[in-house]
Amino acid sequence: MTQPKNEFKNAQLEDWMRAAQKSAPGGNVDALNWKTPDGIAVKPLYTAEDIAALPYANTLPGFEPFLRGPQATMYAVRPWTIRQYAGFSTAEESNAFYRKALAAGGQGVSVAFDLATHRGYDSDHPRVTGDVGKAGVAIDSVEDMKILFDQIPLDKVSVSMTMNGAVLPVLAGYVVAAEEQGVSQDKLSGTIQNDILKEFMVRNTYIYPPEPSMKIIGDIIEYTAKNMPKFNSISISGYHMQEAGANQALEMAFTLADGKEYVKTAIAKGMDVDDFAGRLSFFWAVGMNFYLEIAKMRAARLLWCRIMKGFDAKNPKSLMLRTHSQTSGWSLTEQDPYNNVVRTTIEAMAAVFGGTQSLHTNSFDEAIALPTEFSSRIARNTQLIIQEETHITNVIDPWAGSYMMESLTQEMADKAWAIIEEVEAMGGMTKAVDSGWAKLKIEAAAAEKQARIDSGKDVIVGVNKYKLAKEDPIDILAIDNVKVRDGQIERLKKIRATRDNAKVQAALDALTASAESGQGNLLDLSIQAIRLRATVGEVSDALEKVFGRHRADTQKVTGVYAAAYDSAEGWDQLKKEINEFADTKGRRPRVMISKLGQDGHDRGAKVVATAFADLGFDVDMGPLFQTPEECARQAIENDVHAVGVSTLAAGHKTLVPAIIAELKKQGADDIIVFVGGVIPRQDYDFLYEAGVKGIYGPGTPIPASAKDVLEQIKKAVG
């Protein structure tokens, strides 16, 4: 059938404006704009005019500036790698999980370590009693590593390890375990995170101060470039920044600025940029802002290409940003948790549309505890279904040419570039981190986001809207921390009894001497020590003698939460009650917000501290990594009414009763204890019986918890 010419009348943008005004609020079409957390106004309608002047709206995948993907054919030839990030208390359990996952369609292994390992402590160290085997696998020596990778062929399976603080002994353990499996270093493929700058900003699983930490990174890049050509020596991570509250533009800008700093460090060691840059990789969080996440990943490739051209990189592999992605852990809700399956699917699709090279999908129960086998299977199958059933993989960068997406990509790039230039003006990312500026930027974004949720402005289904009248309990994976620790201590005793201790000591002394002189390569020396059965803690200690342990300044932002909390209902009344308490008792209610054990995730603690201070409480912040004894002592010295323990990493059953016992022991059982964070409901009764006065799980509006704490304080002081 022949098509008549001009079959349909062409509408003009003015026609649409007139039509839209009729239904827009107050006749104002601009009121339909969505103002993103990054400060970008996303319009309800985009047209060809929006992309007419854009410089990169018609590029090709596999070619500069790689906006449409680092490979020419992308998923049409090879889909992304499906990874499962996991670590289950012991090396034996984790190994069993990896083998099952690989047999069921997983294509790589991603290792989560426990917090004791992250912070360079052996399992028998007195500071880690509540952390061993929690939130990941306990690794004390190469013997644990050998069990972890038993019957997993390390010449064929790529291994990703999330490790930064104790990166030297852990990477060395992997190399030696492979050697003893018969796999040489040049055959190893995978990634070590090794991104210490973001640890100082958000995640806090550092050991040494920034300067020696950067020296370690330089040594690892140098060693792997020479001996492990298939291995990615660093994964520059924005993931933890977004999890800590950063918006997409901040996450992208700070991550790329970190990358720039690492490149400078390697060049300063005398390395040629093209000898190592092709082995740098990145790691993004993918949250629920669907369009922004796709635009972020496209824009990041463009900006990284620009940054690397600034270093005069010639090899195309040096110019292309390759990335692993993980769906957001923060977006998972404890309430109505099966909704998380949907959230993770949407986030996984954004990661795929953004062009990720590998992907981990979170399990729906991770807001409550470590994933079960059942929830891990659903998470893995989410990817398999997208890969195998939808035909999404058949088209390379299907969002290209979209009026909205191309505009948004450019806006994201411009926003992030302005922040990168601001960082550069400060002297680079190490300076921006050292000053505390970068950390405060992220904390302000986190406080603002929480206020928007608590006031109902940002909807979270099942949490602040469409709530269930009654929550059904979910089966969770519980870890017997005492049993795991006892097993690890037994293995440590055996290693120390059967090795040549004089040789081990000589290898550790060589590490200390190298740290002192700056001569030699610290990874090379760590491999030698680990071969002789030195432990993770011993290698860390040998370096700590020279480098020292980093202590962070505890700062909090003020006024941000109050400014963004625009639901006056209850807020002003609560402020009034706090002022009345101050008038009656002669001082304000005083709380100390603390983090116990080795968990450095402090988003929740910082946001609560900010909001409580904005309400009129006197707020003290305990330093990270306190023992119950140290926390109790500070609480007594500061004469607080209440201690709030923020917990994420499953140590609450050990650490919270310990702080209550310590307060009692030190004669201060009038100080009440409340707990907030990731706590399975199954544990509530246990904590109440231990003496906890209030428990505030994920999704609790901060004003509601503040009111309850105030009432408890009133009760306690009479």
Side-chain angles (χ1 to χ4, degrees):
M1 153 181 155
T2 54
Q3 298 271 332
K5 280 184 183 172
N6 303 325
E7 184 180 2
F8 305 113
K9 186 180 169 189
N10 277 342
Q12 300 301 310
L13 193 56
E14 294 77 25
D15 302 324
W16 177 83
M17 283 296 284
R18 280 193 296 276
Q21 278 164 350
K22 291 174 187 168
S23 51
N28 177 15
V29 177
D30 285 345
L32 300 174
N33 287 356
W34 167 43
K35 185 80 176 284
T36 76
D38 321 70
I40 295 168
V42 177
K43 302 186 297 184
L45 180 74
Y46 288 81
T47 67
E49 283 175 29
D50 289 290
I51 63 166
L54 294 183
Y56 312 110
N58 190 19
T59 61
L60 289 167
F63 295 89
E64 292 178 23
F66 303 102
L67 184 145
R68 298 192 62 189
Q71 287 96 27
T73 51
M74 291 297 289
Y75 309 144
V77 169
R78 188 181 167 206
W80 65 95
T81 302
I82 298 171
R83 291 197 183 278
Q84 284 247 250
Y85 179 56
F88 291 96
S89 64
T90 65
E92 288 88 346
E93 283 185 60
S94 301
N95 173 261
F97 175 86
Y98 298 146
R99 282 163 54 193
K100 261 187 195 167
L102 289 165
Q107 294 150 351
V109 167
S110 278
V111 185
F113 297 94
D114 74 352
L115 291 163
T117 308
H118 272 289
R119 295 263 298 140
Y121 293 115
D122 287 333
S123 298
D124 58 357
H125 197 285
R127 294 195 79 88
V128 298
T129 47
D131 295 301
V132 176
K134 295 284 193 181
V137 61
I139 298 291
D140 290 319
S141 75
V142 68
E143 292 299 330
D144 292 334
M145 275 289 191
K146 284 170 73 174
I147 297 165
L148 189 67
F149 297 119
D150 181 43
Q151 296 178 61
I152 294 172
L154 292 177
D155 53 343
K156 294 186 178 68
V157 174
S158 85
V159 175
S160 167
M161 291 176 281
T162 302
M163 179 50 64
N164 304 282
V167 62
L168 286 168
V170 165
L171 182 54
Y174 162 73
V175 166
V176 176
E179 257 173 32
E180 294 184 12
Q181 208 187 73
V183 177
S184 57
Q185 295 181 20
D186 61 332
K187 292 195 174 59
L188 294 173
S189 66
T191 306
I192 188 96
Q193 194 161 91
N194 194 26
D195 171 9
I196 204 67
L197 286 173
K198 66 96 181 42
E199 296 294 330
F200 296 115
M201 276 189 273
V202 289
R203 192 163 168 262
N204 301 311
T205 51
Y206 43 69
I207 302 175
Y208 317 111
E211 205 174 308
S213 297
M214 293 297 284
K215 150 80 177 149
I216 290 169
I217 284 169
D219 280 13
I220 290 171
I221 293 173
E222 181 183 54
Y223 184 93
T224 51
K226 201 179 340 178
N227 301 293
M228 300 161 69
K230 291 163 73 178
F231 197 82
N232 299 325
S233 52
I234 190 165
S235 172
I236 305 149
S237 171
Y239 183 87
H240 306 95
M241 296 181 203
Q242 189 180 133
E243 290 289 281
N247 57 47
Q248 280 74 12
L250 264 183
E251 177 197 3
M252 176 175 27
F254 284 175
T255 307
L256 295 176
D258 281 353
K260 194 172 179 182
E261 200 81 344
Y262 298 137
V263 172
K264 282 184 204 165
T265 301
I267 290 171
K269 282 189 76 72
M271 296 179 72
D272 181 276
V273 65
D274 284 319
D275 285 348
F276 68 86
R279 300 313 313 168
L280 304 178
S281 70
F282 287 78
F283 174 26
W284 302 122
V286 184
M288 286 299 285
N289 277 339
F290 186 76
Y291 297 140
L292 290 189
E293 292 293 4
I294 300 168
K296 173 187 82 183
M297 291 170 77
R298 300 172 91 244
R301 288 192 289 269
L302 162 72
L303 295 186
W304 186 245
C305 188
R306 182 183 294 169
I307 288 167
M308 293 312 288
K309 278 189 163 291
F311 287 112
D312 207 24
K314 303 281 191 297
N315 188 331
K317 283 198 164 89
S318 305
L319 305 173
M320 56 178 73
L321 182 155
R322 296 161 306 112
T323 192
H324 173 66
S325 304
Q326 181 175 340
T327 60
S328 170
W330 184 82
S331 69
L332 303 175
T333 63
E334 179 194 32
Q335 296 85 345
D336 209 355
Y338 288 108
N339 289 343
N340 295 333
V341 176
V342 181
R343 290 187 180 102
T344 295
T345 304
I346 291 164
E347 291 168 350
M349 286 180 72
V352 167
F353 284 137
T356 193
Q357 276 60 68
S358 66
L359 178 60
H360 165 79
T361 32
N362 286 330
S363 303
F364 71 83
D365 51 1
E366 284 185 69
I368 312 159
L370 281 171
T372 59
E373 204 169 304
F374 167 69
S375 66
S376 295
R377 188 179 81 243
I378 292 173
R380 184 171 57 252
N381 286 349
T382 302
Q383 292 197 54
L384 288 168
I385 289 164
I386 297 172
Q387 218 169 74
E388 305 276 358
E389 292 189 27
T390 62
H391 294 281
I392 284 171
T393 57
N394 291 96
V395 178
I396 303 155
D397 187 26
W399 282 90
S402 152
Y403 304 143
M404 179 275 297
M405 187 53 71
E406 296 294 5
S407 303
L408 200 50
T409 299
Q410 190 62 51
E411 283 205 72
M412 285 291 284
D414 294 344
K415 276 279 177 201
W417 193 250
I419 300 168
I420 291 169
E421 286 188 317
E422 199 176 344
V423 167
E424 208 54 31
M426 290 182 192
M429 207 59 195
T430 306
K431 294 261 185 358
V433 168
D434 248 349
S435 70
W437 173 83
K439 191 173 183 65
L440 286 173
K441 288 278 281 190
I442 293 173
E443 285 173 9
E448 195 179 328
K449 176 71 179 172
Q450 192 60 50
R452 289 168 65 91
I453 293 168
D454 287 349
S455 61
K457 204 170 185 178
D458 287 2
V459 172
I460 312 285
V461 172
V463 175
N464 63 1
K465 203 172 180 183
Y466 314 114
K467 288 193 273 194
L468 287 178
K470 182 177 172 290
E471 297 277 348
D472 292 325
I474 294 281
D475 285 338
I476 62 160
L477 182 72
I479 302 292
D480 184 342
N481 161 246
V482 175
K483 188 178 163 200
V484 174
R485 190 165 182 261
D486 288 348
Q488 289 298 120
I489 290 171
E490 211 45 54
R491 201 176 285 156
L492 276 165
K493 278 181 187 162
K494 192 175 164 191
I495 284 167
R496 287 179 185 136
T498 54
R499 68 191 185 180
D500 186 330
N501 282 304
K503 279 186 177 170
V504 170
Q505 196 52 57
L508 294 171
D509 291 345
L511 268 167
T512 305
S514 173
E516 223 155 21
S517 68
Q519 303 302 303
N521 185 288
L522 291 172
L523 178 56
D524 186 24
L525 291 163
S526 298
I527 290 170
Q528 292 176 43
I530 292 286
R531 240 183 231 129
L532 294 164
R533 281 5 190 208
T535 68
V536 167
E538 289 165 343
V539 169
S540 299
D541 288 349
L543 298 171
E544 194 184 325
K545 282 178 185 169
V546 179
F547 296 155
R549 262 194 186 254
H550 181 67
R551 300 272 181 273
D553 288 335
T554 307
Q555 298 169 282
K556 59 179 185 290
V557 293
T558 53
V560 174
Y561 184 96
Y565 187 91
D566 61 359
S567 171
E569 188 190 336
W571 180 266
D572 293 335
Q573 177 58 30
L574 189 50
K575 285 186 83 166
K576 187 167 154 249
E577 285 177 36
I578 289 167
N579 289 332
E580 282 168 1
F581 179 97
D583 292 342
T584 314
K585 304 295 177 188
R587 66 179 185 127
R588 296 189 165 279
R590 190 173 188 111
V591 299
M592 176 178 157
I593 306 294
S594 64
K595 293 284 301 181
L596 300 176
Q598 299 303 308
D599 173 28
H601 295 86
D602 59 355
R603 173 180 185 161
K606 288 291 187 60
V607 168
V608 167
T610 296
F612 272 47
D614 286 355
L615 274 164
F617 284 86
D618 274 342
V619 180
D620 296 317
M621 286 256 0
L624 287 167
F625 317 120
Q626 275 190 316
T627 63
E629 188 187 17
E630 291 163 346
C631 176
R633 197 161 54 243
Q634 186 182 342
I636 294 163
E637 283 168 3
N638 292 3
D639 195 18
V640 303
H641 294 105
V643 172
V645 179
S646 171
T647 177
L648 183 83
H652 52 271
K653 285 178 83 172
T654 310
L655 295 165
V656 174
I659 178 72
I660 294 169
E662 273 299 331
L663 286 166
K664 202 171 195 170
K665 191 171 142 191
Q666 297 183 37
D669 49 358
D670 57 331
I671 296 176
I672 66 169
V673 174
F674 61 95
V675 189
V678 177
I679 304 158
R681 288 199 178 266
Q682 293 91 317
D683 295 349
Y684 279 25
D685 286 347
F686 171 87
L687 292 171
Y688 284 130
E689 279 163 26
V692 169
K693 295 297 182 201
I695 302 171
Y696 314 110
T700 308
I702 292 177
S705 64
K707 184 166 174 55
D708 192 52
V709 168
L710 181 65
E711 293 307 319
Q712 296 286 355
I713 291 172
K714 282 180 183 171
K715 244 186 253 175
V717 298

